Amino acid sequence: MRDHSGYIEKTRHEAMQDVLDAWEFTRRIETLDVPDALGRVAAADVFSLNTLPNKLTSNMDGIAVRFDAFEEAGPEGPDTSAWVRGRDWQFCNTGIGMPGDFDTAIAIEGVEVSDDDEHVVLHRLPEYRGQSTTPIGANLQEGDLIVRAGEELTPALLAVLNMGGHTRVDVVARPVVAFIPTGNELVDAGAPLPEGKNVESNAVMVCAKLSLWGAEPLRYPIVPDNWEKLESTLADAAAKADIVVINAGSSKGSDDFTCEILEQNGRMMHHMLAQGPGRHSSGAFLEGTPVIGISGPPMGAEFTVDWMVKPLVDRYLGLPGDYPPMVFARMQDDPGFWPERVQVVKRGIVWRDDADELWARVLEPGERPMLRDLDRANCFITFGRNVQRWNAGEWHAVELRWPYRVE
């Protein structure tokens, strides 16, 4: 029997922070055309090359005039019967630089223009110089900081980049995250399912999450519970990827070799978490690459990857996100069972009632398939060891689940 007495156990937050603190890496940078950079993270501050508008601009359709003519004429306004188009007034349009040295605009609804477009009668007078115009540089000035390093590029920021004269932008390259499914009991989806075997489904789920988080998944085929094959696959993944996720093999079963391989070849940070589900989730470094072991069953893998891998992806991209946001909510129900020795984390629902108060409840599986039912969860609720017990109606901290929404 192998000796597991030296296994390192940490709380989830301690385990994640220790891996983050020990991780040393250099972000790769790539340059993209601005339209292709949607959702990517800016690699550096970007400054405007342009001043916009670069000329006094009308912000409505109308006529352009000089305000001096109105200051000199008094409250009744000037006599426009002798005005000449091009000398005393001119048409102006929204977003177009004001013609000549005209400095004020009057909306077309406040003007009566003759049939030959040469004469005007004013039914509305401007109140100040520059009315209905946008001054030079009001929207953007050369040298303005338009995108900050670490900002996720939204549609609006892409437009600002173009306004600032940029057609290309430096972004953080997507971190490559290898996913290695392991286990003699697994078969690929679509293959015949022998008795006693199970379908490997975590790869498609985890890789989809990675894509949504801004990473580039590198999916490996199923690796059997064989020391040499596991060892060579881990070495290959650590050489190719920025982050490695290995699914299962962190427990103490007779064929669970992952932690021992990592102990012999790398640096083990923790073997397990002081909570469940996901207790047998591990963290290590192999050739400087973080290797995260997550739970095997889909119910556990679906949220242990959120806990243990998303913070690493965020750190690589330069996004905030080492810890998910916490909110306080009234608990709808008494938890009933209260474990003494471990913490238990369950999926939950947090919502806002008609009085704008937050409420939360544990989301228990209702129907098969259970994972479908629990995919509705928008928070995690922790209870048990070192957590203050609550009764129904009392306030309790809950952890929002990505994409961090409240119903």
Side-chain angles (χ1 to χ4, degrees):
M1 186 71 176
R2 303 199 306 273
D3 181 17
H4 300 107
S5 60
Y7 266 24
I8 303 168
E9 180 181 276
K10 296 180 181 178
T11 68
R12 170 163 59 100
H13 294 303
E14 288 173 341
M16 192 69 260
Q17 193 60 53
D18 286 349
V19 173
L20 288 167
D21 290 344
W23 189 22
E24 297 180 357
F25 63 93
T26 301
R27 295 183 180 93
R28 298 185 309 282
I29 307 300
E30 58 184 345
T31 304
L32 300 179
D33 292 338
V34 166
D36 297 331
L38 179 64
R40 303 297 293 273
V41 176
D45 292 345
V46 183
F47 299 88
S48 177
L49 305 175
N50 293 333
T51 293
L52 294 178
N54 59 10
K55 191 179 191 302
L56 186 70
T57 299
S58 176
N59 58 28
M60 59 178 55
D61 296 334
I63 68 167
V65 297
R66 297 182 188 87
F67 192 70
D68 286 345
F70 296 86
E71 286 189 319
E72 295 167 358
E76 298 300 322
D79 178 7
T80 63
S81 60
W83 274 19
V84 176
R85 177 182 170 186
R87 184 191 69 189
D88 302 294
W89 71 281
Q90 185 54 278
F91 286 112
C92 60
N93 294 309
T94 304
I96 306 299
M98 292 285 282
D101 62 351
F102 294 109
D103 60 14
T104 302
I106 303 174
I108 197 68
E109 294 81 2
V111 177
E112 184 178 339
V113 182
S114 63
D115 292 341
D116 61 4
D117 289 342
E118 294 296 325
H119 305 287
V120 291
V121 175
L122 306 182
H123 300 298
R124 189 181 303 167
L125 303 180
E127 298 176 1
Y128 56 90
R129 189 183 308 278
Q131 184 171 331
S132 300
T133 67
T134 302
I136 294 172
N139 297 330
L140 196 61
Q141 295 206 17
E142 183 179 354
D144 279 351
L145 176 63
I146 54 177
V147 170
R148 293 179 174 84
E151 279 193 300
E152 189 171 349
L153 296 175
T154 63
L157 287 179
L158 297 185
V160 172
L161 283 167
N162 274 178
M163 290 168 63
H166 296 275
T167 59
R168 292 173 66 76
V169 61
D170 290 340
V171 299
V172 178
R174 298 183 188 275
V176 176
V177 183
F179 181 80
I180 307 171
T182 73
N184 294 332
E185 76 282 8
L186 297 180
V187 298
D188 288 315
L193 185 61
E195 186 176 357
K197 298 292 185 178
N198 208 342
V199 176
E200 200 293 296
S201 60
N202 287 344
V204 66
M205 174 178 63
V206 172
C207 290
K209 283 177 176 279
L210 292 169
S211 294
L212 289 174
W213 296 337
E216 181 181 329
L218 174 60
R219 180 175 172 176
Y220 278 76
I222 298 168
V223 180
D225 294 320
N226 173 280
W227 184 292
E228 290 75 20
K229 290 183 178 179
L230 286 167
E231 188 174 44
S232 63
T233 303
L234 280 167
D236 184 74
K240 292 177 178 176
D242 300 294
I243 303 163
V244 175
V245 181
I246 186 163
N247 194 196
S250 300
S251 190
K252 301 175 183 178
S254 59
D255 293 329
D256 290 327
F257 303 123
T258 301
C259 287
E260 290 170 88
I261 292 171
L262 290 170
E263 285 175 333
Q264 288 191 19
N265 295 276
R267 176 188 175 193
M268 204 72 201
M269 303 295 291
H270 64 273
H271 299 80
M272 63 179 69
L273 304 179
Q275 66 175 53
R279 179 169 176 77
H280 293 290
S281 298
S282 60
F285 284 91
L286 187 58
E287 299 297 331
T289 302
V291 179
I292 303 299
I294 64 170
S295 298
M299 293 286 291
E302 197 274 333
F303 61 11
T304 53
V305 70
D306 289 13
W307 299 337
M308 308 308 293
V309 180
K310 187 175 190 302
L312 289 168
V313 173
D314 288 342
R315 175 65 65 88
Y316 186 95
L317 293 172
L319 296 172
D322 292 356
Y323 292 110
M326 304 287 290
V327 298
F328 280 88
R330 289 186 182 274
M331 304 306 296
Q332 185 180 57
D333 303 306
D334 187 299
F337 168 70
W338 194 271
E340 298 295 334
R341 298 184 60 186
V342 298
Q343 286 188 354
V344 172
V345 181
K346 292 204 173 186
R347 297 170 177 86
I349 294 288
V350 58
W351 72 94
R352 198 177 300 277
D353 67 12
D354 294 339
D356 206 34
E357 278 192 340
L358 289 181
W359 286 82
R361 65 180 176 87
V362 172
L363 182 60
E364 298 289 359
E367 300 179 356
R368 294 190 304 268
M370 288 189 295
L371 192 59
R372 174 186 174 89
D373 189 46
L374 294 180
D375 189 49
R376 299 184 293 115
N378 64 356
C379 72
F380 296 119
I381 300 173
T382 301
F383 59 102
R385 181 182 177 186
N386 297 327
V387 178
Q388 184 174 354
R389 187 184 182 105
W390 73 83
N391 296 311
E394 292 182 343
W395 293 92
H396 183 65
V398 299
E399 178 183 312
L400 293 185
R401 186 183 191 210
W402 189 86
Y404 311 136
R405 70 193 188 281
V406 175
E407 291 188 345

